[in-house]
Amino acid sequence: MDVKIVKEIVEMRTIDEAAKEILEKAINEGIETAWDRLEAQQPQCGFGQLGVCCNRCAMGPCRISPFEDEGPTRGVCGATADTIVARNLLDDLLVGAAAHSDHGREIVEVLLKTAEGKSQGYEILDVEKLKRLASEYGIGTDGRSREEIAKDLALAMLEEFGTVKNRIQFAESRPPEKTRETWKKAGIVPRSVDREIVEAAHRVHMGVDADYVNILLHALRTSLSDGWGGSMMATEISDVLFGTPKPVESYINLGVLKKDMVNIVLHGHNPVLSMMIVKAAGDPSLVEYARSKGAAGINLAGMCCTGNEILMRQGIPLAGNMLNQELAIATGAVEAMIIDYQCIFPSITFTASCYHTKVISTSEKAKIPGAIHMEFHPETAYDTAKEIIKLAIDNFPNRNPDRVKIPSKPVKMMAGFSYEVIKGALGGSFKPLIDAIASGKIKGAVGIVGCNNPKIKQDYGHVTLAKELIKRNILVVETGCAAMASGKAGLLLPEAADMAGEGLASVVRSLGIPPVLHMGSCVDCSRILVLLADIAKEMGVAISDLPAAGAAPEWYSQKAISIGAYFVASGVFTVLGLPPKIMGSPNVTKLLTEGVEGVVGGKFAVEPDPVKAADIIEAHIEKKRKALGI
Ligand code: BF8
């Protein structure tokens, strides 16, 4: 292809400079990526985009015409556009909530096995947090060993997935009373994690819930069981097992791969795998083995949220976010991509087949044709981790140096801003932050979260919105792929204060922190919930009263739908960069963008232009400040 045309294509697809270099290489080598497949799918189904296609029973598939007087207005069962759209949305959301929560359950199970001495290589690292959580659950700690406490805590949490307790502790003890009141009034207090998800799956069956309002209320309840349940347990117990994050410095983009080392990319979500690989990669016998194969050592790089987990706790560099996954392989420098689950393109084995890269799947839940499956179990975790790394090392001599291209400039960043670190930096109380907000130095705070989506130029939505907000003296906290986008753009550095408004800049400079704070992986959006809850409690208000908002400028995932819904259900105004598939029902759209505010205090807006999104968010923050009298 003509060099100029290739450059133009690349410029349209991403703002990540390192990704541009490799995307160019991929195009020249004929390697297909998600951007090509999106193009091949054009035009995408209009009915599907509007959410009015129903494919859940064998009388269908049915579709409702979006145009009045044109085509059927009911499916074979009689479902209207409202019913179909609401059911489809709940279906998406329950899948997202299940993904987060199943991940959470696995971590709690590892805690249980570790407490019982049945796991290999894991330990309880944050004993203080373990004790704090145990007290929250009413579990005694005095005179008891960490294992005894951990066993009781793990069992109490595992019960919250089922139907025995019918209450989720964090959803009881953590939100401000005023926020919980709104849930009680609306009848959406989550009862248990699995119960809400299973009930959601029941409700979307033909002939069950046909009332769109009722369906959407359950969607909010299901999302709360994720945010204040499954995801929060994932975060807290990951901290107990692997340590609560503290500020770390590291590097990001495809330039973190090393020419002379065995490169292993860790891709997926659960730190149970990635943290063990990190541990095993430090084993002197493996480092020696890598040298015996002609490599200078073993280089680990994170991808997607499992990358965030090992960055936050160990400072392991990040190769990039979701749309970087195929490009990492296209560098020609990756010996192994180790995956667990979620956000992993099934195409990566196809990409890998064009190079020497081996894809190693590890979860019995997530096998990919073409991958080598080496199943990971807590009981044998360390041994399996070593075996996987050995396989990567054995692959090093197969690398073809003529096909290797590694971008030269990784970007420095700072991460590790857990709830505890932020509170600690403020001197143990949120009062200084509240004072800064009251004085107007900081106008408010926004959580930018979520994914990449090839429908939006990679990282453009995230980075533009973050820059706009900090310029307007609005503090930004981030997780997931959004945080990585900011990392690549240099926003996760204290020096980025230069891009912030005067007030915000003065506050973050005095604390030595960046104006955009990396709070972790997507399940760590629960850290944002706790932060908001505690600030609201200190101010004696509901979360919905705070000058705060959420945004997901480039979301793609069903998990992001669940996150957006639990933000809204917790009282947070949330702006999406892409419309969810609901526009085929004006009633559902109106309820989610207007009516729901009167019920839970939060609502959705959709704005693809990140500058306009910043305008909307700023106006919302000003409105909330005024209502608070500041
Ligand atoms: O769980 S931000 S693309 S990696 S879904 Fe996935 Fe989205 Fe990235 Fe993290 Ni979250």
Side-chain angles (χ1 to χ4, degrees), residues 455-517:
K455 290 178 178 176
I456 290 188
K457 195 192 279 194
Q458 186 193 13
D459 297 348
Y460 172 77
H462 294 306
V463 171
T464 313
L465 180 60
K467 281 185 179 169
E468 279 297 321
L469 292 174
I470 61 170
K471 202 163 80 186
R472 301 170 196 216
N473 292 309
I474 295 168
L475 177 72
V476 173
V477 296
E478 296 193 329
T479 60
C481 289
M484 296 188 217
S486 284
K488 287 186 268 177
L491 295 174
L492 302 184
L493 287 168
E495 299 87 284
D498 295 348
M499 289 184 246
E502 226 175 275
L504 175 63
S506 71
V507 175
V508 295
R509 276 198 191 111
S510 71
L511 296 170
I513 59 172
V516 179
L517 302 178

Side-chain angles (χ1 to χ4, degrees), residues 269 304-305 322 343 450-451 480-481 522 556-557 559:
H269 281 75
C304 285
C305 279
M322 206 271 281
C343 304
C451 327
C481 289
C522 283
Y556 91 89
S557 155
K559 291 178 288 171

Side-chain angles (χ1 to χ4, degrees), residues 160-397:
E160 294 187 343
F161 283 86
T163 55
V164 178
K165 277 162 78 176
N166 267 326
R167 63 197 285 278
I168 296 173
Q169 185 57 44
F170 293 145
E172 303 262 327
S173 47
R174 297 192 169 187
E177 205 35 55
K178 286 183 179 165
T179 300
R180 268 189 58 81
E181 277 308 315
T182 64
W183 299 350
K184 279 190 211 155
K185 253 200 209 155
I188 58 167
V189 177
R191 293 161 296 180
S192 88
V193 179
D194 288 358
R195 177 173 190 157
E196 305 310 357
I197 292 167
V198 171
E199 187 174 313
H202 179 192
R203 285 181 188 230
V204 301
H205 190 280
M206 198 295 275
V208 186
D209 209 351
D211 179 330
Y212 75 94
V213 178
N214 209 41
I215 294 169
L216 295 177
L217 281 172
H218 186 68
L220 295 181
R221 175 159 56 179
T222 307
S223 73
L224 289 173
S225 80
D226 169 4
W228 298 87
S231 278
M232 206 168 274
M233 285 186 236
T235 296
E236 296 291 35
I237 300 304
S238 294
D239 286 356
V240 168
L241 283 169
F242 308 116
T244 302
K246 296 187 186 79
V248 282
E249 278 184 2
S250 191
Y251 287 89
I252 183 165
N253 81 24
L254 294 165
V256 304
L257 299 171
K258 299 252 165 42
K259 215 170 202 150
D260 56 348
M261 293 176 102
V262 175
N263 289 308
I264 298 177
V265 175
L266 292 154
H267 181 12
H269 281 75
N270 199 323
V272 159
L273 168 73
S274 53
M275 288 295 286
M276 194 53 69
I277 299 281
V278 173
K279 195 171 189 176
D283 193 301
S285 67
L286 284 173
V287 178
E288 203 33 61
Y289 188 59
R291 291 203 181 114
S292 77
K293 297 282 173 181
I298 303 165
N299 180 43
L300 299 180
M303 172 79 49
C304 285
C305 279
T306 211
N308 279 328
E309 300 278 2
I310 52 179
L311 163 77
M312 293 285 283
R313 298 192 176 88
Q314 297 279 335
I316 303 294
L318 281 169
N321 47 7
M322 206 271 281
L323 280 172
N324 289 120
Q325 58 187 293
E326 291 166 308
L327 301 182
I329 297 172
T331 60
V334 174
E335 274 57 56
M337 182 174 270
I338 307 173
I339 60 170
D340 52 25
Y341 41 57
Q342 298 170 22
C343 304
I344 297 154
F345 287 147
S347 65
I348 54 168
T349 49
F350 179 72
T351 318
S353 71
C354 304
Y355 300 92
H356 75 301
T357 307
K358 300 226 185 292
V359 176
I360 298 154
S361 59
T362 57
S363 166
E364 50 133 4
K365 292 171 196 171
K367 294 189 177 180
I368 294 183
I372 300 167
H373 192 67
M374 297 174 80
E375 208 158 291
F376 206 76
H377 296 282
E379 293 83 351
T380 49
Y382 192 68
D383 289 345
T384 313
K386 279 174 60 177
E387 253 177 75
I388 294 172
I389 294 171
K390 189 170 171 292
L391 191 136
I393 296 170
D394 284 334
N395 198 25
F396 182 73

Side-chain angles (χ1 to χ4, degrees), residues 390-552:
K390 189 170 171 292
L391 191 136
I393 296 170
D394 284 334
N395 198 25
F396 182 73
N398 297 328
R399 190 194 290 180
N400 178 354
D402 298 338
R403 292 193 67 199
V404 170
K405 180 176 171 70
I406 299 174
S408 55
K409 275 195 221 141
V411 181
K412 200 172 170 190
M413 65 174 165
M414 196 174 176
F417 291 94
S418 55
Y419 162 90
E420 288 80 356
V421 162
I422 295 175
K423 194 171 177 182
L426 293 165
S429 134
F430 291 107
K431 187 150 184 316
L433 180 63
I434 295 167
D435 289 347
I437 292 172
S439 74
K441 275 190 177 173
I442 297 179
K443 274 194 196 160
V446 173
I448 306 180
V449 304
C451 327
N452 284 147
N453 184 324
K455 290 178 178 176
I456 290 188
K457 195 192 279 194
Q458 186 193 13
D459 297 348
Y460 172 77
H462 294 306
V463 171
T464 313
L465 180 60
K467 281 185 179 169
E468 279 297 321
L469 292 174
I470 61 170
K471 202 163 80 186
R472 301 170 196 216
N473 292 309
I474 295 168
L475 177 72
V476 173
V477 296
E478 296 193 329
T479 60
C481 289
M484 296 188 217
S486 284
K488 287 186 268 177
L491 295 174
L492 302 184
L493 287 168
E495 299 87 284
D498 295 348
M499 289 184 246
E502 226 175 275
L504 175 63
S506 71
V507 175
V508 295
R509 276 198 191 111
S510 71
L511 296 170
I513 59 172
V516 179
L517 302 178
H518 189 335
M519 290 190 76
S521 64
C522 283
V523 291
D524 295 338
C525 287
S526 64
R527 298 191 202 274
I528 301 178
L529 289 181
V530 182
L531 191 67
L532 290 170
D534 282 5
I535 294 171
K537 281 194 250 181
E538 199 151 330
M539 291 172 71
V541 299
I543 292 176
S544 59
D545 296 321
L546 297 175

